[in-house]
Amino acid sequence: MTKPEVATEYVASPTASGHSSDDEQPQGSLKTIAPQKGVVSHFTQEIRPTMFAEFQLLILTFCTGIQDATTFPDYHCFASNQTGNTVFLCLAIVLPQFNGDMFITPNIGMALGLFLGAGWLTGQLSHIVGPRKRWWLILCNLIQTILVFGAAAVQYKYGVKDRGSSALAVIGLLASASGSQVVQSRSLAMTEISTAMATAAWVDLMIDQKLFVIKNRPRTRRVAFLAALIVGSMIGALIYREVGSPTAIAVSGAGKLVVTLMYIFANAEKEQGVISPA
């Protein structure tokens, strides 16, 4: 939580008689205005893009790796990586005979459709309420966390089936959470950490003219993003192999819950003090 700035105002001092004369210069003083420290003021602050916010996005990236490491082997689609889903959808249109073996068309349609829908809804609402408002980011991450835990609950109750209503429910919940999640990197002006798609990060990293320069923040962000995605995918695969998908998705939800709570303490933009006339 950042320390709010102190605003001041100029107060004109009257003469001893209570009236200022024409030939006298008014004397003034600086009056300190106590900053607002209420709960409402705190939650309506704008989150400042800092290393703390970068760390939050990297945690979300790690959680994305866990999710996709389980959804692809279970449902033959990705909850977050829509490049693969787009290709599979085209294959389903041109080569429908591969449906059920190489891909499952309803799963792909559900993942791609709800990912785009959630991204559109979150992005458009962000334009209205303010993309970096603390309360808005907390609310968005809380909803995403609930969606992920909901997907884990469906798997715990109905088991893991590669098609059918329970499969579509899990895919839809995870894709909606991912679509809403990827908007945050744009909101925080950290597009190097998209939290999901790796292709652009790999390309931008390889063509960076300052790739080997020590002080290169965009390069460092991309490397950290790719590392978090790789580690998350590996951890997700291990959990998937040893315990199963429901636990892996629950771990991903726990990570998103941590990020949600971290937004309460994230650094805010410095408030501008207003100087009011006496």
Side-chain angles (χ1 to χ4, degrees), residues 7-161:
T8 58
E9 66 175 350
Y10 182 87
V11 181
S13 299
T15 60
S17 60
H19 301 280
S20 58
S21 61
D22 295 335
D23 57 348
E24 286 183 317
Q25 295 295 332
Q27 296 179 352
S29 62
L30 290 177
K31 181 180 178 181
T32 301
I33 301 176
Q36 295 182 350
K37 297 182 180 179
V39 175
V40 174
S41 175
H42 174 70
F43 283 97
T44 54
Q45 291 175 328
E46 299 271 347
I47 297 298
R48 182 157 51 97
T50 61
M51 290 188 65
F52 188 80
E54 288 182 22
F55 183 57
Q56 290 177 272
L57 293 179
L58 291 176
I59 295 176
L60 293 177
T61 302
F62 176 82
C63 296
T64 297
I66 294 177
Q67 288 180 194
D68 276 347
T70 63
T71 55
F72 185 76
D74 282 343
Y75 306 110
H76 303 284
C77 70
F78 299 96
S80 305
N81 184 3
Q82 300 308 315
T83 301
N85 287 340
T86 302
V87 174
F88 282 141
L89 185 61
C90 294
L91 289 174
I93 295 173
V94 180
L95 302 170
Q97 63 269 26
F98 290 134
N99 181 35
D101 296 326
M102 184 183 299
F103 50 80
I104 300 175
T105 305
N107 294 357
I108 296 171
M110 177 67 75
L112 183 59
L114 289 187
F115 179 92
L116 295 177
W120 173 82
L121 181 62
T122 304
Q124 296 303 320
L125 289 177
S126 294
H127 295 316
I128 298 174
V129 304
R132 287 193 283 165
K133 290 289 185 181
R134 188 187 303 276
W135 71 267
W136 173 246
L137 290 171
I138 292 174
L139 178 62
C140 287
N141 280 272
L142 181 60
I143 293 174
Q144 295 161 26
T145 301
I146 293 173
L147 293 175
V148 174
F149 279 131
V154 171
Q155 286 192 336
Y156 275 120
K157 184 173 182 179
Y158 298 103
V160 179
K161 302 175 183 178

Side-chain angles (χ1 to χ4, degrees), residues 246-259:
T247 302
I249 294 177
V251 170
S252 176
K256 294 180 72 66
L257 180 60
V258 169
V259 173

Side-chain angles (χ1 to χ4, degrees), residues 119 180 243-244:
S180 178
V243 186

